[in-house]
């Protein structure tokens, strides 16, 4: 079956620290992988995506590389800011395009 | 509208009552999804529409849940004989072509007393 497992939170970092949020997946076929972010009081929004193995998605200083050999899609950012405080969800999309599976979310708080 | 709109934002009801939750997707988006999110969990798939038809309703938990999208735009999620376990945030998302960029609304928080 299809599923996503992501690092449990909450995560608290100081401003300018390095961030990694781990995400691994189980899938049949060739899924697409996503990171969604939910800022306080807002709906989920797409942060970045990768549609095939070895692709790197990037946006707003965040990066994630689709690693088929380790079935992973870890989210990284070199220097976090207070404004990055949010809940981050890893997600998998089936190649039929109609089912998306989300992880449980990782809450990140960045302190000045 | 500019984004996905969901109403009501909050709904408190009593066990056994009937509830309707509405989603107005981004204009022109043919794909529409309903998800349910319980506290501390990620969104859980309920149903997916492509146009007017329910292309995949495998996530609906039981026959008390039903959703429609009669004109291929606005969708309504209907829950009959609500139970306390139905309490959650119900999320709607739309997509231009089901390619993975889902645009989510802010959700409807349902509380069943």
């Amino acid at each position: 079956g299809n599923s996503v497992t992501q690092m449990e939170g909450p995560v608290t970092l100081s401003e300018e620290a390095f961030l990694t949020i781990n995400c691994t997946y189980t899938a049949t076929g060739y899924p697409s992988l996503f990171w969604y972010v939910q800022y306080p009081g807002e709906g989920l929004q797409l942060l970045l995506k990768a549609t095939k193995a070895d692709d790197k998605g990037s946006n707003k200083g965040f990066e994630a590389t689709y690693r088929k050999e380790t079935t992973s899609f870890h989210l990284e950012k070199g220097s976090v800011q207070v404004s990055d405080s949010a809940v981050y969800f890893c997600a998998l999309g089936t190649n039929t395009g109609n089912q998306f599976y989300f992880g449980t979310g990782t809450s990140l708080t960045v302190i000045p | 509208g500019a984004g996905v709109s969901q109403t009501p934002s909050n709904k408190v009801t009593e066990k056994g009552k009937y509830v309707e939750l509405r989603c107005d997707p981004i204009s022109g988006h043919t794909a529409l999804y309903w998800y349910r999110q319980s506290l501390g969990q990620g969104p859980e798939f309920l149903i997916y529409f492509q146009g007017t038809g329910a292309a995949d309703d495998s996530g609906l938990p039981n026959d008390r849940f039903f959703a429609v999208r009669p004109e291929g735009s606005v969708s309504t999620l209907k829950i009959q004989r609500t139970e306390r376990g139905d309490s959650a945030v119900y999320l709607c998302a739309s997509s231009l072509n089901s390619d993975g960029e889902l645009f989510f609304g802010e959700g409807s928080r349902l509380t069943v007393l």
Side-chain angles (χ1 to χ4, degrees):
Chain A
N2 298 300
S3 67
V4 172
T5 302
Q6 67 179 100
M7 175 176 147
E8 289 191 17
V11 174
T12 302
L13 295 174
S14 296
E15 205 165 22
E16 299 183 2
F18 183 84
L19 169 71
T20 300
I21 301 178
N22 289 339
C23 172
T24 56
Y25 68 90
T26 303
T28 54
Y30 303 95
S32 296
L33 300 173
F34 308 87
W35 278 99
Y36 278 81
V37 58
Q38 186 170 28
Y39 298 104
E42 299 183 16
L44 280 84
Q45 56 188 274
L46 180 67
L47 179 61
L48 53 84
K49 69 177 183 181
T51 58
K52 61 183 187 297
D54 300 326
D55 268 2
K56 178 187 283 188
S58 61
N59 186 24
K60 299 182 180 180
F62 291 89
E63 292 182 340
T65 301
Y66 187 164
R67 301 278 188 208
K68 191 174 176 205
E69 63 276 14
T70 54
T71 61
S72 65
F73 193 56
H74 304 322
L75 182 68
E76 296 183 336
K77 185 172 186 182
S79 175
V80 293
Q81 304 301 311
V82 172
S83 57
D84 294 326
S85 298
V87 181
Y88 293 82
F89 293 89
C90 185
L92 175 158
T94 63
N95 54 4
T96 56
N98 62 323
Q99 281 248 19
F100 296 91
Y101 298 84
F102 287 81
T104 54
T106 302
S107 175
L108 170 67
T109 301
V110 180
I111 54 176
Chain B
V4 177
S5 175
Q6 290 188 247
T7 54
S9 54
N10 269 290
K11 175 71 177 178
V12 180
T13 192
E14 293 179 342
K15 181 174 179 296
K17 298 290 189 184
Y18 170 80
V19 166
E20 287 191 353
L21 306 175
R22 176 189 165 106
C23 173
D24 197 345
I26 293 173
S27 177
H29 280 195
T30 57
L32 185 145
Y33 303 77
W34 282 100
Y35 284 83
R36 177 169 69 175
Q37 187 174 18
S38 301
L39 192 62
Q41 301 297 314
E44 174 193 14
F45 172 77
L46 295 177
I47 187 169
Y48 156 67
F49 287 90
Q50 183 61 253
T52 60
D56 185 345
D57 64 357
S58 61
L60 294 177
N62 52 58
D63 62 5
R64 295 187 297 106
F65 288 74
F66 190 70
V68 296
R69 194 186 185 200
E71 297 177 359
S73 178
V74 171
S75 176
T76 305
L77 178 66
K78 308 180 181 195
I79 311 173
Q80 299 178 320
R81 305 184 303 280
T82 51
E83 299 178 358
R84 292 194 180 90
D86 298 335
S87 297
V89 177
Y90 289 82
L91 299 172
C92 177
S94 69
S95 177
L96 185 58
N97 52 17
S98 64
D99 67 347
E101 182 154 10
L102 302 181
F103 293 82
F104 282 86
E106 293 187 20
S108 292
R109 180 178 298 278
L110 174 66
T111 303
V112 182
L113 301 177

